[in-house]
Amino acid sequence: MSRPRSFRFPDTLLASLQGRARERGESANALLERYLDEGLRRDDHPLIAFREGAAGRRAALVGTRLDVAQVIDTLRESDNSVEAAAEHLGIPEQQVRAAVRYYADFREEIDEWRERARAIAEREEEAWRREQAILA
């Protein structure tokens, strides 16, 4: 549920926000809400950053190309061994633990993103198979 609030921002900051919102094709309110939400999450989870992609915005490990979902999938495939997952991914155990902490706090969000990514991958594979059938 949203409730109206009043905040005061410098004119230059508001102009930057409005310009960025126009560039992205979204409202300044929506963009500000995302910035606040992600900023608060970064305070609690400093090793997590956020990236755009075909399946939407997603949580990822800072300094890597790994999404939190990928780390969790690898951890599960490693019988929940942090050490094995870290070794397989080539990252420190601390980063695996950071992904686990984030997942513990935002499990539903990560699982929804994983489902969207899976659906996109299946759709793209089916399109590729149709193209291959024509080229064969």
Side-chain angles (χ1 to χ4, degrees):
M1 176 179 194
S2 295
R3 295 188 322 195
R5 294 275 190 237
S6 177
F7 296 98
R8 296 182 191 277
F9 297 109
D11 288 340
T12 55
L13 180 59
L14 288 174
S16 293
L17 176 66
Q18 290 167 344
R20 181 68 50 90
R22 268 192 309 277
E23 288 172 6
R24 300 183 58 80
E26 59 185 309
S27 73
N29 282 346
L31 185 60
L32 182 58
E33 183 179 340
R34 180 171 63 81
Y35 284 167
L36 285 172
D37 181 48
E38 289 180 3
L40 291 168
R41 289 180 188 206
R42 290 286 311 264
D43 283 351
D44 292 337
H45 300 277
L47 294 179
I48 302 298
F50 300 92
R51 298 186 183 133
E52 293 286 344
R57 210 154 164 81
R58 65 202 189 274
L61 285 173
V62 170
T64 74
R65 294 181 177 196
L66 297 169
D67 297 331
V68 169
Q70 291 172 293
V71 176
I72 297 303
D73 288 345
T74 303
L75 181 67
R76 287 176 174 163
E77 291 168 7
S78 303
D79 296 323
N80 290 330
S81 167
V82 170
E83 183 179 283
E87 184 176 327
H88 178 78
L89 294 168
I91 59 175
E93 290 180 30
Q94 176 187 12
Q95 287 184 305
V96 174
R97 291 184 194 287
V100 169
R101 278 191 299 276
Y102 187 86
Y103 184 67
D105 286 348
F106 300 101
R107 180 181 217 142
E108 187 176 303
E109 173 186 295
I110 298 298
D111 290 345
E112 286 174 7
W113 182 87
R114 181 186 289 117
E115 182 58 31
R116 283 192 311 274
R118 185 196 58 73
I120 290 169
E122 287 177 0
R123 184 182 69 225
E124 292 300 315
E125 181 178 1
E126 182 57 35
W128 177 83
R129 290 184 188 282
R130 287 192 309 271
E131 291 171 7
Q132 296 308 304
I134 291 170
L135 296 173

